[in-house]
Amino acid sequence: VGYGVCFKNANVSSALRLAGTTAAFQMAMPLMGWLTGAVLGKFISSWAPLIAFILLLLVAVKMLIEAFKAKEDCEVYDISRGKHLFMIAIATSIDAFAAGITIGLLKMSVFLSVAIIGAVTFILSFSGVYIGKKAGKFLGKWAEISGGVILLAIAFKFLFDWRLV
């Protein structure tokens, strides 16, 4: 949604890139968690919230800096390409690694679970770009600021969850 609000050149192609990549990562992480198994998975998954915190913190700080540098409306960089796309995809999907371990422990169908996760992520990410585009007309620069603050809140939630484990 934040991407749609701030990136005025968001179109079907960029929405498909963003939705496809985030869906692919959301599918890959639980699959890797399932394959890795409980022994190694417990160690790696214990660090997942810290890794997600760091990645989301970096993206949020960059968004806030860009928002306050902007003269008028927000104009975020194109996160549907390059390193920003992968940072967002990894940060938003790293906790799915632990979900993959759980899928294995509960003896659920990993392929059905991964397919559902991917489909839901794709649909919500794709439609979120267009919802954000509509909302951006009313919110302008404040959308990027609130997006950065929301990402900061999510990042700190990961950090606090990690510290509580």
Side-chain angles (χ1 to χ4, degrees):
V1 172
Y3 174 71
V5 166
C6 293
F7 191 65
K8 291 169 184 36
N9 294 327
N11 55 28
V12 172
S13 178
S14 61
L16 285 172
R17 271 193 309 277
L18 183 65
T21 304
T22 55
F25 273 77
Q26 285 288 344
M27 293 170 61
M29 287 296 199
L31 189 57
M32 289 189 305
W34 177 74
L35 290 172
T36 302
V39 176
L40 185 56
K42 285 182 185 174
F43 172 75
I44 293 172
S45 67
S46 68
W47 289 95
L50 181 61
I51 296 166
F53 165 75
I54 292 168
L55 292 173
L56 286 170
L57 181 67
L58 291 172
V59 172
V61 168
K62 182 156 177 59
M63 278 181 77
L64 289 170
I65 289 170
E66 293 296 321
F68 287 109
K69 277 204 281 188
K71 301 285 186 246
E72 301 269 328
D73 293 335
C74 63
E75 180 67 23
V76 72
Y77 43 89
D78 185 0
I79 63 165
S80 76
R81 297 181 186 276
K83 68 180 180 183
H84 296 109
L85 175 60
F86 290 101
M87 284 177 63
I88 290 289
I90 290 168
T92 59
S93 67
I94 197 154
D95 60 324
F97 183 87
I101 295 169
T102 306
I103 290 169
L105 293 174
L106 296 177
K107 299 189 184 346
M108 298 169 63
S109 168
V110 69
F111 299 108
L112 177 60
S113 300
V114 166
I116 291 169
I117 290 167
V120 169
T121 300
F122 184 87
I123 291 166
L124 292 177
S125 296
F126 185 82
S127 58
V129 170
Y130 289 98
I131 291 168
K133 222 170 164 166
K134 296 274 186 209
K137 293 176 183 172
F138 306 107
L139 300 175
K141 166 182 173 169
W142 292 103
E144 190 172 8
I145 293 170
S146 25
V149 169
I150 289 168
L151 283 180
L152 277 176
I154 294 169
F156 279 100
K157 183 198 179 309
F158 275 115
L159 181 65
F160 293 135
D161 286 351
W162 178 68
R163 296 302 303 158
L164 295 174
V165 173

